[in-house]
């Protein structure tokens, strides 16, 4: 049986939903959120213009690691018992920024709490 990683396309709305449901988690070994409002705005600008924003690397497992419990003032739920967890190995700054922007949460970035305006992708 081949266990080599395979690239997958996941809809943006599914990524955000999976974060809200506790299926995508940020392991504690990841660095804190450090992006400024300006860097987050540039990410959104790239999306609106149709520019590539890179890939996200997620590790799907049933193994339990210590994880970040919230993104700013957005509480992240526990993963439902028996479900797979997808840990963010690459793309944490981008995913966190997108999640916070689309949900109108506040995020602690570079030592301060900032409110990011709500952004809707259609």
């Amino acid at each position: 049986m081949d266990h080599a990683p395979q690239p997958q396309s996941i809809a943006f709305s599914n990524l955000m939903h999976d974060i809200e449901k506790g299926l995508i988690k940020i392991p504690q070994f990841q660095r804190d959120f450090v992006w400024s409002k300006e860097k987050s705005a540039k990410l959104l600008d790239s999306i609106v213009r149709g520019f590539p924003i890179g890939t996200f690397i997620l590790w799907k497992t049933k193994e339990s690691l210590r994880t970040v419990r919230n993104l700013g003032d957005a509480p992240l739920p526990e993963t439902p018992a028996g479900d797979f967890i997808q840990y963010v190995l690459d793309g944490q700054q981008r995913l966190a920024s997108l999640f916070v922007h689309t949900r109108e949460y506040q995020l602690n970035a570079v030592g301060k709490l900032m409110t990011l305006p709500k952004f809707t992708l259609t």
Side-chain angles (χ1 to χ4, degrees), residues 53-73:
I53 62 164
T55 59
F56 302 106
I57 298 177
L58 305 175
W59 174 40
K60 186 175 181 177
T61 184
K62 288 199 175 190
E63 191 169 322
S64 181
L65 301 176
R66 287 189 292 179
T67 60
V68 172
R69 296 190 182 267
N70 56 37
L71 287 173
D73 65 348

Side-chain angles (χ1 to χ4, degrees), residues 20-78:
E20 285 182 320
K21 296 299 177 194
L23 301 174
I24 294 178
K25 304 295 252 177
I26 299 171
Q28 275 193 339
F29 62 74
Q30 290 281 16
R31 67 183 175 151
D32 291 336
F33 185 80
V34 297
W35 277 20
S36 64
K37 273 187 179 181
E38 292 75 23
K39 190 151 188 175
S40 292
K42 286 180 181 181
L43 174 67
L44 295 175
D45 183 58
S46 292
I47 291 170
V48 169
R49 292 173 185 250
F51 298 159
I53 62 164
T55 59
F56 302 106
I57 298 177
L58 305 175
W59 174 40
K60 186 175 181 177
T61 184
K62 288 199 175 190
E63 191 169 322
S64 181
L65 301 176
R66 287 189 292 179
T67 60
V68 172
R69 296 190 182 267
N70 56 37
L71 287 173
D73 65 348
L76 300 175
E78 293 297 320

Side-chain angles (χ1 to χ4, degrees), residues 33 35-41 44 71-74 96-119:
F33 185 80
W35 277 20
S36 64
K37 273 187 179 181
E38 292 75 23
K39 190 151 188 175
S40 292
L44 295 175
L71 287 173
D73 65 348
S97 185
L98 291 170
F99 181 75
V100 170
H101 270 293
T102 59
R103 301 303 191 264
E104 276 189 296
Y105 289 118
Q106 291 186 340
L107 191 58
N108 189 13
V110 199
K112 62 183 176 196
L113 201 62
M114 64 180 186
T115 303
L116 301 174
K118 184 167 182 169
F119 182 82

